[in-house]
Amino acid sequence: MILGLSTTTFTLVHVILSLVGIFAGAIVLSGMLTSKKSNAWTEIFLATTVLTSVTGFPFPRDQILPSHIVGVISLLVLAVAIVALYLYRLAGKWRWIYVAGVVLSLYLNVFVAVVQAFAKLPFLSALAPTQSEPPFAVTQLVVLGLFVLLTIIAAIKFRGEQLRGA
């Protein structure tokens, strides 16, 4: 039992939050790249991504794992992005800080999704059983490169006015 739920149910809730966060984050990022307003999707992304990180901690473990470190980093990045959006209203440097925070937190969710995919999906696990093999490394490198490129483009194209009423 975790927080009153069976481990299976709690895991399912955690995974659903993560997938909704990734989906919403993709929409938010797309909005940044195309200058489309996305207040509701932004709120869904921020809420589900915070909850994804928070729900990662109660799983029973004997030691701190890399997933815990990613969770802490994600929560810190999200805190800064939330402050940039709601407190500083994306004024000045806070616009690109917000963009970087949103895209980094989305990347961290996708990074973990790739790790889980290679761990849980038999056809990927066969390619990289220890996740130290080239297919895993290449996949993570491609994902990282894509997110770096998207961050740069979003920082250039995104205008904070589209979310000022958020």
Side-chain angles (χ1 to χ4, degrees):
M1 294 288 275
I2 303 172
L3 301 177
L5 299 173
S6 70
T7 302
T8 302
T9 302
F10 188 82
T11 302
L12 181 61
V13 168
H14 176 75
V15 170
I16 289 170
L17 286 168
S18 178
L19 293 175
V20 170
I22 289 170
F23 180 77
I27 292 172
V28 170
L29 178 55
S30 173
M32 288 179 178
L33 297 172
T34 60
S35 298
K36 290 184 181 162
K37 191 173 182 174
S38 56
N39 293 350
W41 284 111
T42 298
E43 291 168 3
I44 291 167
F45 168 71
L46 292 172
T48 56
T49 305
V50 166
L51 287 171
T52 296
S53 293
V54 169
T55 59
F57 293 107
F59 287 100
R61 299 288 182 247
D62 295 340
Q63 59 193 20
I64 294 177
L65 300 173
S67 58
H68 295 115
I69 295 167
V70 171
V72 169
I73 293 168
S74 180
L75 287 171
L76 292 172
V77 168
L78 285 162
V80 172
I82 290 167
V83 165
L85 177 60
Y86 293 110
L87 184 63
Y88 291 105
R89 299 283 186 203
L90 308 177
K93 68 181 178 184
W94 291 101
R95 180 187 59 82
W96 67 262
I97 291 170
Y98 169 77
V99 169
V102 164
V103 181
L104 178 56
S105 58
L106 176 58
Y107 164 73
L108 291 171
N109 255 357
V110 171
F111 172 84
V112 171
V114 170
V115 169
Q116 291 299 315
F118 272 89
K120 308 280 188 214
L121 299 175
F123 71 97
L124 290 176
S125 187
L127 293 173
T130 67
Q131 296 189 355
S132 61
E133 294 79 9
F136 178 79
V138 168
T139 301
Q140 289 291 24
L141 246 157
V142 168
V143 169
L144 176 61
L146 178 64
F147 273 89
V148 168
L149 179 64
L150 290 171
T151 301
I152 293 167
I153 295 169
I156 293 167
K157 291 192 167 204
F158 178 71
R159 296 291 164 241
E161 302 85 45
Q162 65 185 350
L163 287 175
R164 288 212 188 270

